[in-house]
């Protein structure tokens, strides 16, 4: 394992592509930003392609000179761009050539833009990597459509990265990616931004903190049932809930109907910079997710010294050691039992020192380690030979969706047309003039 001061084996020029990036907040956005910053510290060049967010459009620069292209795309649903595949070819081609991109790194299975940039990059002869941040099922209609779309888009991807071993198994099964083309590189957390502060805790109460998007898959129904059952039973228990979403009404309804305004605090949407200030007020962190590939929230909570109680779904059992977490079944009775066990440990003093927890997280998960492991993937795929168009079409044929081959062929023809109208040398001259 190279030290932090050693230079990389090869300098790469990388394009991170996803619909999900700042100013939107979430695990994918944080992953892209931190990985990009560390890659630049290691000597690589990184640019980000995403869509515009409100008034934030055009080209922006973030910390360290990270260049972000906010494309003027129509947002269709949940911050995902409209999946046209062909309307943005000229613009994306221009950016990839102007920035001399060698590797396109797409993020998130839901990101239409990430897949679109990756496919265009592959047709241009670039190397492509995809990171899957989520788990999906196989039964419902949305899962079937998402899995088929992912299978089509990953047919010619050079390598895939998953954030947990459970996530790898899920991606291999639903996207039919070859096992040797998938690596496991976990997420990380900047533990220095989540330093514990036990003085912020209220010694008269046991405070349970929840920081989550309030959507179905995060188990909001379980949260509401737990609050309704525990608050009357334990008057010394307080809940602090940070986050917003379409299921916020359920928590508000429980609080109002049961008169729990003093016991339940709803903070609403939080900036990421505010999360630590909320976490340090708690004794226990509760995660009720119904599906999760990794869960950054429990790592951040553990770094702040909280005892974690979480459902053991997806990749969560891989994340923290037993001394830092109680794993439960995704039902109310099991979660309440886990909370009661954590409360008993707190009363008896059977908990780790918060600063020791922070040091453990700092050792287990850090972005420079994630970056070095990602570099290994980049170095590996940079030696791959590019496949001709005919071979690529045969690969896309394996998805079983014949019209998709016609779409790929049309995209290739439009790229050739763009080459005739606006040649590469003109883009190079424009870049030199800009510099």
């Amino acid at each position: 394992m190279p030290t932090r001061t050693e230079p990389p084996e090869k300098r790469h020029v990388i394009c991170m592509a996803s619909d999900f990036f700042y100013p939107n907040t979430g695990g994918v956005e944080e992953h892209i930003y931190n990985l990009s910053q560390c890659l630049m510290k290691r000597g690589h060049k990184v640019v980000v392609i995403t869509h515009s967010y409100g008034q934030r459009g055009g080209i922006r620069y973030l910390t360290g000179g990270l260049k972000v292209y906010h494309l003027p795309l129509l947002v269709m649903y949940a911050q995902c761009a409209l999946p046209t595949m062909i309307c943005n070819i000229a613009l994306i081609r221009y950016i990839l050539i102007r920035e001399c991109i060698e590797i396109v790194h797409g993020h998130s299975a839901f990101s239409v833009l990430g897949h679109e940039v990756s496919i265009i990059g592959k047709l241009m002869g670039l190397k492509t990597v995809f990171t899957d941040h989520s788990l999906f099922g196989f039964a419902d209609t949305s899962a079937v459509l998402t899995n088929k779309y992912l299978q089509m888009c990953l047919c010619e991807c050079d390598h895939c990265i998953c954030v947990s071993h459970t996530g790898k198994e899920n991606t291999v099964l639903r996207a039919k990616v070859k096992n040797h083309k998938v690596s496991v590189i976990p997420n990380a957390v900047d533990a220095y931004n989540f330093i514990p502060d036990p003085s912020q805790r209220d010694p008269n109460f046991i405070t349970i903190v929840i920081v989550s998007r309030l959507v179905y898959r995060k188990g909001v129904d379980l949260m509401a049932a737990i609050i309704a059952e525990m608050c009357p039973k334990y008057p010394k228990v307080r809940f602090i809930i940070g986050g917003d979403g379409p299921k916020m009404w359920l928590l508000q309804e429980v609080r109002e109907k049961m008169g729990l305004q003093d016991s339940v605090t709803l903070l609403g949407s939080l900036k990421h910079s505010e999360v630590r200030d909320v976490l340090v007020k708690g004794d226990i962190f509760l995660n009720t997710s119904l599906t999760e590939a990794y869960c950054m929230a429990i790592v951040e909570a553990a770094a702040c010294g909280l005892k974690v109680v979480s459902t053991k779904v997806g990749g969560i059992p891989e994340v923290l050691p037993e001394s830092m977490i109680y794993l439960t079944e995704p039902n109310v009775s099991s979660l309440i039992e886990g909370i009661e066990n954590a409360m008993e440990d707190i009363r008896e003093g059977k908990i780790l020192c918060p600063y020791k927890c922070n040091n453990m997280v700092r050792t287990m998960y850090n972005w420079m380690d994630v970056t070095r492991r990602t570099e290994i993937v980049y170095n590996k795929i940079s030696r791959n030979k590019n496949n001709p168009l005919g071979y690529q079409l045969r690969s896309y044929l394996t998805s079983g969706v014949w019209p998709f081959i016609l779409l790929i062929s049309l995209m290739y023809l439009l790229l050739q047309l763009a080459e005739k109208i606006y040649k590469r040398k003109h883009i190079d001259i424009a870049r030199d003039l800009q510099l």
Side-chain angles (χ1 to χ4, degrees):
M1 183 70 67
T3 63
R4 183 173 301 199
T5 56
E6 288 180 346
E9 178 182 320
K10 182 181 184 298
R11 181 181 184 271
H12 300 289
V13 184
I14 305 141
C15 172
M16 301 288 180
S18 180
D19 284 298
F20 310 110
F21 194 64
Y22 295 153
N24 198 44
T25 57
V28 177
E29 293 84 350
E30 185 183 349
H31 181 102
I32 295 172
Y33 175 79
N34 286 310
L35 178 59
S36 299
Q37 292 293 336
C38 291
L39 284 168
M40 290 192 296
K41 288 180 181 178
R42 295 277 293 163
H44 305 284
K45 177 184 175 181
V46 184
V47 299
V48 177
I49 293 181
T50 186
H51 61 71
S52 58
Y53 280 89
Q55 298 298 318
R56 183 169 296 192
I59 300 174
R60 299 294 182 101
Y61 288 89
L62 302 184
T63 305
L66 177 61
K67 192 174 186 179
V68 183
Y69 286 88
H70 291 277
L71 306 188
L73 307 181
L74 178 64
V75 177
M76 182 179 178
Y77 174 74
Q79 296 300 337
C80 289
L82 184 68
T84 63
M85 301 300 287
I86 59 174
C87 294
N88 309 306
I89 285 179
L91 179 57
I92 292 172
R93 171 186 172 273
Y94 177 87
I95 295 172
L96 296 179
I97 295 174
R98 177 190 176 96
E99 300 294 340
C100 302
I101 300 299
E102 301 169 355
I103 298 172
V104 176
H105 192 159
H107 291 263
S108 183
F110 275 129
S111 174
V112 173
L113 183 59
H115 293 307
E116 187 172 332
V117 177
S118 295
I119 292 174
I120 293 172
K122 178 54 67 175
L123 290 174
M124 293 174 60
L126 307 179
K127 305 298 186 294
T128 56
V129 181
F130 171 76
T131 296
D132 198 354
H133 295 262
S134 304
L135 297 178
F136 295 94
F138 299 88
D140 58 283
T141 304
S142 63
V144 171
L145 294 175
T146 302
N147 294 345
K148 179 56 69 173
Y149 178 66
L150 188 63
Q151 180 187 350
M152 293 187 298
C153 294
L154 297 186
C155 285
E156 272 296 290
C157 186
D158 289 285
H159 205 84
C160 294
I161 297 173
C162 294
V163 294
S164 66
H165 292 279
T166 302
K168 175 180 177 179
E169 294 176 7
N170 184 261
T171 299
V172 169
L173 287 173
R174 63 193 174 90
K176 294 181 172 59
V177 182
K178 294 179 181 178
N179 190 67
H180 70 273
K181 293 178 64 176
V182 184
S183 298
V184 177
I185 303 176
N187 264 318
V189 62
D190 188 353
Y192 294 97
N193 289 335
F194 292 91
I195 300 296
D197 186 2
S199 65
Q200 295 296 314
R201 299 176 181 176
D202 190 338
N204 300 315
F205 298 95
I206 291 180
T207 304
I208 300 173
V209 175
I210 301 171
V211 178
S212 169
R213 285 175 302 203
L214 301 181
V215 296
Y216 172 76
R217 75 175 187 89
K218 292 295 186 179
V220 181
D221 300 87
L222 295 176
M223 293 181 202
I226 290 168
I227 291 170
E229 187 167 336
M230 288 201 67
C231 286
K233 186 177 180 180
Y234 298 100
K236 293 292 185 180
V237 168
R238 295 289 184 266
F239 285 87
I240 298 178
I241 303 173
D244 201 355
K247 301 282 281 186
M248 170 67 90
W249 67 268
L250 182 58
L251 300 178
Q252 292 173 334
E253 184 179 53
V254 169
R255 189 176 73 156
E256 295 298 326
K257 282 187 174 181
M258 299 188 66
L260 301 176
Q261 288 84 353
D262 293 335
S263 300
V264 180
T265 302
L266 299 176
L267 301 177
S269 181
L270 296 174
K271 296 179 181 178
H272 190 260
S273 58
E274 300 171 337
V275 171
R276 181 260 177 189
D277 295 333
V278 175
L279 289 175
V280 294
K281 296 178 181 178
D283 302 285
I284 299 170
F285 182 83
L286 178 62
N287 174 55
T288 59
S289 293
L290 303 178
T291 176
E292 201 77 67
Y294 177 83
C295 194
M296 290 276 286
I298 64 173
V299 182
E300 294 171 350
C304 288
L306 279 71
K307 189 73 174 184
V308 178
V309 177
S310 174
T311 51
K312 54 179 180 181
V313 297
I316 289 178
E318 304 174 28
V319 178
L320 294 174
E322 293 182 0
S323 60
M324 304 175 75
I325 186 171
Y326 276 108
L327 295 172
T328 72
E329 298 296 331
N331 57 63
V332 175
S333 60
S334 182
L335 282 162
I336 289 178
E337 182 182 353
I339 294 172
E340 290 174 339
N341 290 335
M343 291 166 59
E344 187 67 24
D345 288 346
I346 292 170
R347 282 193 289 264
E348 297 180 0
K350 297 179 180 178
I351 55 174
L352 294 174
C353 170
Y355 298 100
K356 182 178 180 181
C357 292
N358 187 274
N359 288 330
M360 291 174 65
V361 171
R362 193 177 305 171
T363 302
M364 290 186 293
Y365 302 111
N366 67 82
W367 283 111
M368 289 308 297
D369 179 57
V370 170
T371 302
R372 287 190 287 264
R373 294 167 70 174
T374 306
E375 281 180 354
I376 295 173
V377 174
Y378 291 161
N379 294 334
K380 179 180 178 181
I381 67 171
S382 65
R383 295 189 286 268
N384 291 353
K385 293 183 178 179
N386 292 323
N387 296 321
L389 178 63
Y391 186 91
Q392 292 187 40
L393 292 177
R394 284 195 295 272
S395 296
Y396 289 119
L397 183 61
T398 60
S399 67
V401 184
W402 287 58
F404 193 65
I405 302 174
L406 299 178
L407 178 61
I408 296 297
S409 301
L410 177 59
M411 293 174 71
Y412 179 79
L413 293 175
L414 290 175
L415 281 171
Q416 299 305 308
L417 178 62
E419 179 66 32
K420 294 292 184 182
I421 296 175
Y422 202 68
K423 298 183 182 297
R424 287 176 181 253
K425 64 179 182 180
H426 295 155
I427 299 176
D428 295 335
I429 293 172
R431 181 180 66 246
D432 293 341
L433 291 174
Q434 183 70 24
L435 295 174

